Amino acid sequence: MNLEEVAKRAKVSTATVSRVLNNIDVVKNSTRSRVIKAVEELKYHPNLHARTLAGGKSKTLGMIVSNMENPFFFDVFKALEADAIAHGYEVVIANTDYSAEHLVDSVRLMIGRRVAGLAAIVSEMNPRLIDELADSKIPVVFYDVGTARRNISNIRVNYQRGIEKVVDYLHDLGHRRMAFVSHHAALGPINVRERSFVETVSRHAPGAEWKTAVDADGPEGGRQAVREILSSGFRPTAIICVNDFMALGVLRELREQGLRVPRDVSVTGFDNITLSEFCYPALTTVHIPRERIGHIAYETLLPEDGKSPFASRDIQIDPDFVLRESTGPARKA
Amino acid sequence: MNLEEVAKRAKVSTATVSRVLNNIDVVKNSTRSRVIKAVEELKYHPNLHARTLAGGKSKTLGMIVSNMENPFFFDVFKALEADAIAHGYEVVIANTDYSAEHLVDSVRLMIGRRVAGLAAIVSEMNPRLIDELADSKIPVVFYDVGTARRNISNIRVNYQRGIEKVVDYLHDLGHRRMAFVSHHAALGPINVRERSFVETVSRHAPGAEWKTAVDADGPEGGRQAVREILSSGFRPTAIICVNDFMALGVLRELREQGLRVPRDVSVTGFDNITLSEFCYPALTTVHIPRERIGHIAYETLLPEDGKSPFASRDIQIDPDFVLRESTGPARKA
DNA sequence: GGAATTGTTGCAATCGGTTGCAGCATTGCT
DNA sequence: AGCAATGCTGCAACCGATTGCAACAATTCC
């Protein structure tokens, strides 16, 4: 079922059918309706591959994320997609599950698909792979990885500042034994958060003891991390989590172990995902404007007409501290 | 950057390059390595559209879901994707947000993309649209909507049975005033769940009072639904939620209103998503084997070699009751 | 009424690959 | 050495669209 069959049935050329389908308004009304009739009768659906191949331009955006299960990524996606759809684009997403291998495959796939733009919201990326993207000429926007270049823009959040706000706040409440729970990604912003934690503690909370634990991203990972910390004998009065998603599991495990939050232990998250407000107790966290990030990503990849087609940008975002119920004064020993 | 340039550089024809790229092992080793060298030097990435167009077959599966934000759908996706990737396929997903319009667009897009198979995990679908899919000849598997036909398979869960188990259990605990919280989808399985609720209450819990409330799928919707119920003056001793995702919001709002779960009110979910175990209190719910559904979907669309290419199937799944901490005896008035 | 416009439609090249078939180069066999 | 079998590679048609250009048709204008 292709253009030709439709053309035959409507007794016109494929060129005319194509024009009708693309709303090019030079076609006579009577012809147009004949074509439309044929299209419907044959239940014809244009072949997207042929279309983008012939047209030379793709109407799809790509998005690569580390862990779609974590609502953080989904929220960014949702905003990006809304903008895309509003402008007649679609967005295909790829989930790497923090695997470098999957990431390579996903990037190659996106290039192969000749996407009109690519948003990579991943915590790390091999420099060689970044080069590959740079050479592809595809407009790219990274979230917190790599550096801006000709065809690559960058959105970054000041994690350092976010963690400082958290540590400062806890230190003021008297906390002197803290734990940091994070996940596997060895490089990139995650490590930035961990490093920030260590540095900030030694600078803003001198003399405090601390410990870090690492497990998979997600509630289950958070739970495991807490088990690891507690079974080591360390008894923190505050647990700082690399993100809210893991914090959910931390809360759960503390409850299981009979520790009250925040009376016995304070817990903080990061990101301010919707769930952080629905868990118990509601999480004190740091707000990352995910929706804004999604919109910026879109606007960066596909600027409104009038502006230059694609300009490499470097955008900084300063996160805000969000106080809820999972934190309180440190318990006296 | 295309095959021809690579061919020129390697001093061979495009046919040979194509053979090398597709691992067709008739190419002489020395030639092969010359081609590979050229591919790498030029950082060539084959055009996916040209490839599927010329090859006639697509290596991608499509999946359409109602609400990717709800972990239920993500879990199904994850299992499906794992199988797909293991067999060299990729899967592109479309999110309809419960919008019939988006659904139509998504289906058309998938057909246009000539996917090798399509999994539609949505709660409702216009019969005309189903026909469109049927005519497309694309292997399709529905989850709980439509009926099996030539190229359409069906996986369905016995909701009726699931709800019965919940209502029976609550009735045995003495609950006589129940509320049902569900979301917007007007037709399909959601309504099945609601209808099941009403029928089951009148059959298994004769004389019980009940009320239903509807809002958006998700924690926020659950919260709103509870507000609606309580502000109407109705004071249920048990709230049955159409799914766990909404139940999260129900728990939160009850807490806010000073009602203890399960002492004052019992709450149940449906699906048994991971979060149902991490919220407080952990949810009593009904387990839907999402992972299994994903695997079945894959296996149905792309049967292992040896079996017939695609056979229309109709699969039934019986859900299990999962007892946790959010339910208890009805409070005496 | 005939020339100049303007409106509609078709021809055919093109996008970037895949693949059946033919042909040249080797190698094997007698 | 001569012929057949086999290995490797290239030619060219094809996949299903888009689009510049030419051609024909319908109007408009003087």
Side-chain angles (χ1 to χ4, degrees):
Chain A
M1 181 57 47
N2 54 15
L3 259 201
E4 206 169 326
E5 302 210 26
V6 178
K8 206 174 299 171
R9 180 167 190 112
K11 299 199 185 308
V12 294
S13 70
T14 62
T16 300
V17 179
S18 175
R19 290 188 187 106
V20 170
L21 261 36
N22 291 291
N23 282 317
I24 299 180
D25 55 359
V26 299
V27 184
K28 202 202 286 181
N29 268 330
S30 60
T31 313
R32 168 185 304 276
S33 45
R34 236 169 52 237
V35 170
I36 291 178
K37 186 149 155 285
V39 165
E40 282 172 356
E41 286 173 354
L42 294 175
K43 307 192 193 253
Y44 165 75
H45 295 267
N47 183 315
L48 206 69
H49 302 294
R51 214 175 238 224
T52 58
L53 179 57
K57 52 214 157 211
S58 159
K59 276 298 215 178
T60 99
L61 288 179
M63 176 166 179
I64 302 179
V65 300
S66 298
N67 180 12
M68 201 58 178
E69 197 162 4
N70 185 332
F72 172 85
F73 296 98
F74 183 79
D75 290 344
V76 176
F77 164 72
K78 204 167 168 182
L80 174 64
E81 193 195 31
D83 286 354
I85 289 192
H87 291 79
Y89 283 75
E90 43 146 2
V91 13
V92 323
I93 85 168
N95 193 37
T96 69
D97 253 322
Y98 294 105
S99 141
E101 232 177 289
H102 277 182
L103 180 55
V104 173
D105 292 345
S106 301
V107 168
R108 299 252 167 88
L109 208 56
M110 293 298 181
I111 297 180
R113 198 178 262 129
R114 301 294 190 267
V115 290
L118 176 64
I121 320 286
V122 296
S123 44
E124 49 176 327
M125 190 181 290
N126 180 318
R128 296 256 305 276
L129 196 55
I130 299 186
D131 288 342
E132 219 168 304
L133 270 173
D135 289 324
S136 78
K137 312 287 190 196
I138 293 177
V140 174
V141 53
F142 279 127
Y143 173 75
D144 254 306
V145 67
T147 50
R149 318 199 200 176
R150 297 178 307 282
N151 62 326
I152 299 184
S153 282
N154 222 284
I155 304 175
R156 51 181 77 251
V157 163
N158 194 337
Y159 284 112
Q160 173 76 35
R161 198 67 203 94
I163 290 287
E164 274 176 21
K165 289 180 180 176
V166 170
V167 173
D168 276 353
Y169 170 75
L170 290 173
H171 187 255
D172 286 352
L173 284 178
H175 292 275
R176 294 297 180 273
R177 279 198 314 282
M178 308 182 186
F180 185 75
V181 165
S182 102
H183 60 80
H184 289 118
L187 302 167
I190 303 300
N191 204 26
V192 167
R193 297 195 205 185
E194 181 162 338
R195 210 165 44 231
S196 295
F197 169 75
V198 173
E199 282 175 11
T200 310
V201 165
S202 51
R203 193 140 38 84
H204 292 232
E209 297 173 72
W210 51 266
K211 179 172 173 50
T212 68
V214 164
D215 209 288
D217 186 21
E220 190 55 42
R223 171 193 270 187
Q224 291 299 339
V226 168
R227 287 189 183 149
E228 183 187 325
I229 290 169
L230 295 183
S231 71
S232 79
F234 189 60
R235 287 287 174 278
T237 61
I239 298 182
I240 296 172
C241 302
V242 74
N243 64 34
D244 296 340
F245 203 37
M246 293 195 75
L248 297 177
V250 168
L251 291 178
R252 164 66 201 263
E253 184 60 20
L254 290 173
R255 193 184 310 130
E256 195 112 326
Q257 306 244 358
L259 292 167
R260 301 280 183 132
V261 176
R263 220 192 50 185
D264 302 325
V265 184
S266 285
V267 173
T268 65
F270 211 106
D271 289 349
N272 192 27
I273 59 179
T274 306
L275 287 172
S276 69
E277 205 194 337
F278 284 89
C279 59
Y280 179 74
L283 272 176
T284 289
T285 186
V286 173
H287 178 72
I288 306 282
R290 304 172 298 286
E291 212 171 306
R292 201 171 126 221
I293 291 173
H295 290 309
I296 292 177
Y298 176 84
E299 167 65 19
T300 302
L301 294 176
L302 265 33
E304 294 291 332
D305 308 321
K307 307 188 184 175
S308 59
F310 179 93
S312 174
R313 313 204 277 164
D314 201 320
I315 294 143
Q316 286 277 345
I317 292 178
D318 227 9
D320 292 325
F321 184 70
V322 177
L323 181 58
R324 292 216 186 85
E325 306 150 15
S326 66
T327 49
R331 194 176 184 188
K332 302 297 173 204
Chain B
M1 180 57 46
N2 54 13
L3 258 201
E4 206 171 325
E5 302 210 24
V6 178
K8 206 174 299 172
R9 181 168 189 112
K11 299 200 186 306
V12 295
S13 71
T14 63
T16 299
V17 179
S18 175
R19 290 189 186 105
V20 171
L21 260 37
N22 290 294
N23 282 318
I24 299 181
D25 53 359
V26 298
V27 185
K28 200 200 289 181
N29 266 332
S30 61
T31 314
R32 169 186 302 278
S33 46
R34 236 167 54 236
V35 170
I36 291 179
K37 185 150 157 284
V39 164
E40 282 172 356
E41 287 173 352
L42 294 175
K43 304 187 194 258
Y44 166 74
H45 295 266
N47 183 317
L48 205 70
H49 302 293
R51 218 181 243 237
T52 59
L53 179 57
K57 52 216 157 210
S58 160
K59 277 296 214 178
T60 99
L61 289 180
M63 174 166 181
I64 303 181
V65 300
S66 298
N67 180 12
M68 199 59 179
E69 197 162 3
N70 185 332
F72 171 85
F73 297 98
F74 183 79
D75 291 343
V76 177
F77 164 72
K78 206 167 167 180
L80 173 64
E81 194 196 31
D83 287 352
I85 289 193
H87 291 79
Y89 283 75
E90 44 147 1
V91 14
V92 321
I93 84 168
N95 193 39
T96 69
D97 253 321
Y98 293 104
S99 141
E101 235 177 287
H102 277 182
L103 180 56
V104 173
D105 292 344
S106 300
V107 168
R108 300 252 166 89
L109 209 54
M110 293 298 181
I111 297 180
R113 200 178 260 129
R114 301 294 189 266
V115 290
L118 176 64
I121 321 286
V122 296
S123 44
E124 50 175 327
M125 190 180 291
N126 180 318
R128 296 256 306 276
L129 196 54
I130 298 185
D131 289 340
E132 220 168 303
L133 270 173
D135 290 324
S136 78
K137 313 286 191 199
I138 293 176
V140 174
V141 54
F142 279 127
Y143 173 75
D144 254 306
V145 68
T147 51
R149 318 197 201 177
R150 296 178 309 283
N151 63 327
I152 299 184
S153 282
N154 223 283
I155 304 175
R156 51 182 76 250
V157 164
N158 194 337
Y159 284 114
Q160 173 77 34
R161 198 66 205 96
I163 290 287
E164 274 175 22
K165 289 180 179 175
V166 170
V167 171
D168 276 353
Y169 171 75
L170 290 172
H171 187 256
D172 286 352
L173 285 178
H175 293 274
R176 295 297 180 271
R177 279 199 314 282
M178 308 183 186
F180 186 75
V181 166
S182 104
H183 60 80
H184 288 119
L187 302 167
I190 301 300
N191 204 27
V192 167
R193 297 195 206 185
E194 183 163 337
R195 211 164 46 228
S196 296
F197 169 75
V198 172
E199 282 175 10
T200 309
V201 165
S202 51
R203 192 139 39 82
H204 293 232
E209 298 173 71
W210 52 265
K211 179 173 172 52
T212 69
V214 163
D215 209 289
D217 187 20
E220 190 56 42
R223 170 193 271 187
Q224 291 298 337
V226 168
R227 287 189 183 149
E228 183 188 324
I229 290 167
L230 295 183
S231 71
S232 78
F234 189 60
R235 287 285 174 278
T237 63
I239 298 182
I240 296 173
C241 302
V242 75
N243 64 34
D244 296 340
F245 203 37
M246 293 195 76
L248 297 177
V250 168
L251 291 177
R252 164 66 201 262
E253 184 61 20
L254 290 174
R255 193 183 310 129
E256 194 111 328
Q257 306 245 358
L259 293 168
R260 299 281 181 133
V261 176
R263 221 190 51 186
D264 303 324
V265 184
S266 285
V267 174
T268 65
F270 211 107
D271 289 349
N272 193 26
I273 59 178
T274 305
L275 287 172
S276 69
E277 205 193 337
F278 284 90
C279 59
Y280 179 74
L283 272 176
T284 289
T285 186
V286 173
H287 178 71
I288 306 282
R290 304 173 297 287
E291 211 170 308
R292 199 171 129 224
I293 292 174
H295 290 308
I296 292 177
Y298 176 83
E299 167 65 18
T300 301
L301 294 176
L302 265 34
E304 295 291 332
D305 307 321
K307 306 189 183 177
S308 60
F310 179 92
S312 175
R313 313 204 276 163
D314 202 320
I315 293 142
Q316 286 277 345
I317 291 179
D318 226 9
D320 292 324
F321 184 69
V322 177
L323 181 58
R324 293 214 186 87
E325 306 151 14
S326 66
T327 48
R331 194 177 184 185
K332 304 294 174 206

